[in-house]
Amino acid sequence: MTDSPQISAPGTDPTAYVLDAIDRQIIARLHENARTPNVDLAREVGVSPSTCLARVRSLRERGVIVRYTAEINPEALGYHLQALVSVRIRPGARHLMEQISDELRTQPEVAQLFFLGGSEDFLIHVRVRDSAHVREFVLKNLSANPAVALTETNLVFEHHTALSAGLRTVL
């Protein structure tokens, strides 16, 4: 394992996110499969089950592990198309950014919402049935909003989850 940077959050207890090699192994394995039974997880990282359980509990309490989720195949739910929609808000409507964000996050098509620092204000990852559905989403939720100055939609031909690639370098 390579030397990894200390992970800490600004404005928090500097010890809250201090992770040792075992913590990093636990995180990596749970990131790959959050349903790994504690006994198996303990064996994989080389600690006793009670130690492993205490470490996982500590990681949750310190805010390192935020939640456990299931990754769902969108096609199994009828969402055969994904798109990335970039949004620019009108300069006079910047005070509405939080309201717009809150509204977008409630839409069932929105898989991810990014608030950006750059030429665009939001990047929205949507999962939709087909091209008519993405058109309907953009028209109803974005183009009809007077605060929105510009949208640009890019279709996703393939989408791959990173499989911890970004975390492996720090873990």
Side-chain angles (χ1 to χ4, degrees), residues 1-2 4 7 19 21 23-25 27-28 167-171:
M1 189 162 278
T2 62
S4 300
I7 300 171
L19 305 173
D23 289 334
R24 292 170 191 274
Q25 289 177 49
I27 293 166
L167 288 177
R168 287 193 194 283
T169 60
V170 295
L171 294 174

Side-chain angles (χ1 to χ4, degrees), residues 31-149:
H31 187 68
E32 289 173 14
N33 182 3
R35 292 187 52 150
T36 303
N38 185 63
V39 171
D40 296 341
L41 183 60
R43 186 177 56 252
E44 290 173 14
V45 302
V47 297
S48 71
S50 61
T51 298
C52 187
L53 188 60
R55 282 177 172 264
V56 171
R57 185 174 294 127
S58 172
L59 290 167
R60 282 196 317 260
E61 289 170 355
R62 292 185 290 150
V64 176
I65 296 175
V66 179
R67 65 185 177 126
Y68 300 94
T69 64
E71 186 172 343
I72 309 299
N73 177 355
E75 289 193 23
L77 302 176
Y79 298 117
H80 301 286
L81 182 66
Q82 296 183 63
L84 297 174
V85 183
S86 57
V87 180
R88 186 176 304 157
I89 303 300
R90 295 189 188 287
R94 300 257 181 237
H95 64 284
L96 299 173
M97 303 262 293
E98 187 172 344
Q99 176 187 338
I100 293 167
S101 173
D102 290 345
E103 289 171 8
L104 287 170
R105 290 185 330 192
T106 66
Q107 300 305 312
E109 297 89 349
V110 175
Q112 296 178 314
L113 175 65
F114 301 92
F115 177 51
L116 306 174
S119 61
E120 308 303 329
D121 295 303
F122 295 105
L123 181 63
I124 310 164
H125 174 196
V126 295
R127 295 175 176 156
V128 291
R129 293 181 303 276
D130 51 30
S131 61
H133 190 183
V134 75
R135 180 181 183 275
E136 176 187 326
F137 173 85
V138 171
L139 289 174
K140 177 183 163 195
N141 296 290
L142 302 170
S143 298
N145 188 328
V148 174

